Amino acid sequence: MSWALSLPVQTLKDSSARHVLLCLANYAGSNGTGAFPSASTLAQDTGLSERTVRYKLDDLEKSGLIQKGNQAIAAVHIDRHDRRPVVYDLQISRGANPAPRTKRGADDATGCNPQQNGVQPGTERGAAVAPNPPPNHQGTEEQLQQREIDAALAEQNNAAIEPQDDRQRFAMFATWVPNEKGLSDQITIAGLPADAVPEAAIRAFMGFFVAKPSTIDTSAGWCYRLVQWVKRERVKASGQGKAPDFDDTSWANDLGDL
């Protein structure tokens, strides 16, 4: 986060984007990589809307201050691909202010004091050189950073089990369960009885679309597709004087038109 705080205004003038970057940096590792808070988490952290957060992330990426990182990091912690946030790496080599040179006790070639770990940048007359910190000091800081990372990962795991945004489009998956209200609404709109969509119909419908990962839709959209297919099968079976056979997979030949 110190890198994000040190960015000059000329590098990032948008205050909202700066706020998003500061919060994003809080989830990154010590080297600035592996930050994957969800948009809803950043919205809570910043007080901005999720849409604004996404816009600002796009702006930060276009400006070169962040870039997409190793997406496998999120996959390790979140099984559902449709619920994984984007993993970002901070470009900490860009935009940071150079370290100031000290006037006394500094190496002219590097601008750094030979006493690397001491508190005092230089020694005045009569002042003792500050001792190096104990060997376990750095380890303590690393442990603190690891605890912060673990806390961020735990938050992501909790976010993964939250209800999915109904507006999010996703491919069909084997454990999909139709939204109860969405399915009920579509059944009512279609003028079908409440029990018109049996489990056999849902399984057959899912089986076909799991094999077509390129087809994506929202939760409500999938409910609409399911009910429309059931309605069509009922009409077809009624014309033949029989009940629809949902175990018959011949319907899959033209289901892609739904």
Side-chain angles (χ1 to χ4, degrees):
M1 181 180 285
S2 59
W3 165 78
L5 286 170
S6 67
L7 285 176
V9 176
Q10 293 80 1
T11 302
L12 185 58
K13 297 181 179 180
D14 188 331
S15 59
S16 295
R18 180 181 291 271
H19 197 179
V20 171
L21 180 62
L22 287 171
C23 293
L24 179 66
N26 196 41
Y27 295 95
S30 58
N31 60 351
T33 62
F36 59 100
S38 64
S40 61
T41 296
L42 288 176
Q44 293 175 2
D45 291 346
T46 60
L48 303 171
S49 67
E50 289 188 30
R51 176 177 295 183
T52 300
V53 166
R54 292 190 178 95
Y55 285 151
K56 298 308 174 183
L57 287 172
D58 289 341
D59 291 343
L60 290 170
E61 188 173 4
K62 291 175 183 177
S63 66
L65 293 173
I66 63 174
Q67 68 177 15
K68 290 183 174 65
N70 184 1
Q71 304 306 309
I73 295 175
V76 170
H77 301 278
I78 302 174
D79 293 333
R80 289 277 297 275
H81 66 86
D82 55 300
R83 291 184 177 177
R84 293 174 197 156
V86 177
V87 179
Y88 288 105
D89 292 342
L90 310 181
Q91 299 303 289
I92 57 178
S93 60
R94 292 200 53 189
N97 290 323
R101 295 171 61 92
T102 56
K103 293 182 179 180
R104 296 180 60 87
D107 185 338
D108 290 338
T110 64
C112 300
N113 191 281
Q115 187 68 25
Q116 296 179 357
N117 296 324
V119 176
Q120 296 175 233
T123 58
E124 300 291 343
R125 293 187 61 183
V129 175
N132 288 333
N136 65 345
H137 178 70
Q138 184 175 1
T140 302
E141 291 184 351
E142 292 177 351
Q143 292 172 2
L144 178 60
Q145 291 176 347
Q146 186 59 48
R147 285 197 295 269
E148 292 176 349
I149 293 172
D150 291 341
L153 293 178
E155 181 177 351
Q156 295 303 318
N157 289 335
N158 291 334
I161 61 176
E162 293 178 355
Q164 182 172 302
D165 187 343
D166 289 339
R167 297 168 297 179
Q168 184 176 357
R169 295 167 63 85
F170 57 91
M172 181 56 64
F173 51 93
T175 57
W176 178 68
V177 177
N179 178 276
E180 184 176 351
K181 184 178 184 304
L183 182 59
S184 176
D185 289 345
Q186 291 298 334
I187 290 174
T188 301
I189 293 171
L192 298 176
D195 58 351
V197 183
E199 286 295 325
I202 297 175
R203 288 195 300 270
F205 179 81
M206 290 168 55
F208 175 74
F209 276 108
V210 163
K212 294 184 63 176
S214 60
T215 303
I216 61 174
D217 210 333
T218 62
S219 177
W222 283 118
C223 290
Y224 171 78
R225 289 173 182 257
L226 173 59
V227 171
Q228 288 302 307
W229 169 67
V230 170
K231 182 177 181 179
R232 187 175 64 179
E233 288 300 302
R234 288 171 64 92
V235 171
K236 184 188 300 183
S238 177
Q240 299 173 356
K242 60 181 182 180
D245 181 9
F246 294 113
D247 292 322
D248 179 8
T249 59
S250 61
W251 53 268
N253 296 331
D254 59 349
L255 184 57
D257 295 333
L258 289 179

